Amino acid sequence: MCNQTRYLIFFQYIGTKYSGAVKVPPHQLERQGVQDHLERKNDKPPFTEDILVQALNFHLKAEQISITRAYRVPDDFHARFRALSRTYVYRIGLGVSHPSELPLIERDMCWNLRHMELDVEAMSEAAAMLLGTHDFSSFRAVNSDMPFKNPVKTLDVARIQPGRAFVCEHFHREIPFWELTFQSRSFLYKQVRRMTGALVAVGQGSISLTQLKEIMEARDSLAYPQNLVAPARGLFLTRVDYRESGVDGRGKNNNKTAQSNSVSYIVVDFSFFPLESIIIELIHYGVTLSEL
């Protein structure tokens, strides 16, 4: 006999190694941010959140993945659909013609632009056009889920501000960084990268505000110039908010939220990365969940 408990797990990882979909037999795990049933045999009590975090990190220490927090949640909790908002940050480094000119820790962590010039005021005007509720069809990439996804989204935050290097004190030159921040309850496939690419194009003078408005009003993914899409390497998922009463599994009724803030960014390439890679690594090491 096994006790079954559902947990919501927050984690951070370097996304280049773990990007893309992973296929595994359906009986091993489900494709969502919560591993459905962490089983304990012989009527043992469920793992505490702290013990679970320590155990997972112990078996993942050789990987570029770190579990930051875990919450017990109700059996019907769904990591994607219960989220109140998601916040993405896109990092841009200026005056860098090739990634090899970046500090090692910055490679694959930002979009390097050759020129120093970027009209941030025009970009801010363009970002303001994206705020609110719109049909973002022009800013989504074509994929198999497209017919089933509502293109109308509400963008609550679209902001451009100066950023900073992860490590700058010991590098021989100073590189100016900018960060583009976007917040919404959910995003379309590659929406953030497409919005970022369009804003950068406005900042570089490649397209005008009028042209951006025309792209948006076309409501057609084919209206978006394909050479404008920002590369994946600068995109970070930095925060996911949940209402605490739906996270802790103890029936609290309050207005607090559980946030996925962490010291390091969560590198991600799409709206919510599942727990698959973590569990697959555990299976690879011959560790079953019931043994943790």
Side-chain angles (χ1 to χ4, degrees):
M1 182 176 179
C2 297
N3 291 329
Q4 297 180 332
T5 303
R6 177 174 283 215
Y7 297 87
L8 171 67
I9 297 174
F10 290 113
F11 60 98
Q12 57 187 342
Y13 71 104
I14 305 299
T16 50
K17 182 177 178 180
Y18 306 104
S19 62
V22 181
K23 296 183 179 180
V24 297
H27 66 274
Q28 291 182 351
L29 54 93
E30 291 191 11
R31 304 174 70 80
Q32 51 186 284
V34 179
Q35 171 63 21
D36 275 43
H37 299 110
L38 301 182
E39 298 182 351
R40 299 211 73 188
K41 297 180 180 179
N42 301 323
D43 295 324
K44 292 180 180 179
F47 297 111
T48 66
E49 289 93 335
D50 290 342
I51 293 297
L52 179 65
V53 170
Q54 293 173 20
L56 288 173
N57 281 328
F58 176 81
H59 292 289
L60 290 169
K61 57 189 176 183
E63 297 298 322
Q64 293 180 315
I65 302 173
S66 176
I67 311 299
T68 58
R69 282 180 293 163
Y71 293 88
R72 288 185 60 183
V73 294
D75 289 342
D76 62 350
F77 183 87
H78 195 289
R80 179 184 299 174
F81 301 136
R82 287 288 186 92
L84 298 177
S85 69
R86 297 168 175 83
T87 302
Y88 284 91
V89 170
Y90 196 100
R91 302 180 67 244
I92 296 172
L94 301 183
V96 182
S97 59
H98 190 272
S100 62
E101 298 178 11
L102 290 165
L104 282 175
I105 198 169
E106 295 288 354
R107 296 182 189 178
D108 296 322
M109 297 290 183
C110 69
W111 183 11
N112 58 286
L113 298 179
R114 179 185 301 270
H115 301 292
M116 295 288 289
E117 298 81 15
L118 205 59
D119 189 340
V120 177
E121 184 175 345
M123 292 175 67
S124 297
E125 289 185 51
M129 294 169 54
L130 301 175
L131 286 172
T133 302
H134 305 282
D135 184 326
F136 283 96
S137 292
S138 295
F139 293 93
R140 68 175 173 183
V142 176
N143 70 341
S144 58
D145 290 336
M146 198 167 104
F148 311 105
K149 299 290 186 181
N150 186 349
V152 177
K153 301 291 180 182
T154 299
L155 188 62
D156 299 312
V157 174
R159 181 175 63 239
I160 297 98
Q161 60 189 27
R164 59 188 179 87
F166 291 142
V167 176
C168 58
E169 289 84 357
H170 305 290
F171 197 58
H172 67 278
R173 55 169 292 199
E174 183 176 347
I175 299 173
F177 284 88
W178 288 88
E179 294 182 353
L180 285 69
T181 303
F182 303 94
Q183 184 181 83
S184 177
R185 182 169 186 176
S186 62
F187 293 89
L188 299 170
Y189 181 55
K190 294 189 179 180
Q191 179 184 343
V192 174
R193 289 172 54 192
R194 285 181 163 230
M195 290 190 299
T196 297
L199 296 185
V200 169
V202 169
Q204 293 177 327
S206 302
I207 65 172
S208 64
L209 292 173
T210 300
Q211 289 173 308
L212 176 61
K213 184 178 180 181
E214 291 172 351
I215 292 171
M216 190 169 182
E217 291 178 346
R219 301 175 183 175
D220 182 358
S221 60
L222 298 179
Y224 185 93
Q226 293 303 306
N227 61 341
L228 293 188
V229 181
R233 62 182 179 270
L235 183 60
F236 295 77
L237 173 63
T238 61
R239 176 167 169 162
V240 181
D241 289 341
Y242 296 93
R243 194 162 303 282
E244 187 174 337
S245 59
V247 167
D248 58 25
R250 293 186 287 270
K252 290 184 179 180
N253 185 14
N254 53 53
N255 294 321
K256 294 181 180 179
T257 59
Q259 302 168 348
S260 65
N261 285 342
S262 59
V263 175
S264 299
Y265 289 115
I266 302 173
V267 184
V268 75
D269 179 64
F270 40 92
S271 61
F272 197 86
F273 195 84
L275 191 61
E276 296 166 320
S277 60
I278 292 179
I279 305 303
I280 285 172
E281 291 301 325
L282 290 176
I283 294 170
H284 175 71
Y285 287 122
V287 179
T288 64
L289 294 170
S290 59
E291 291 173 344
L292 294 180

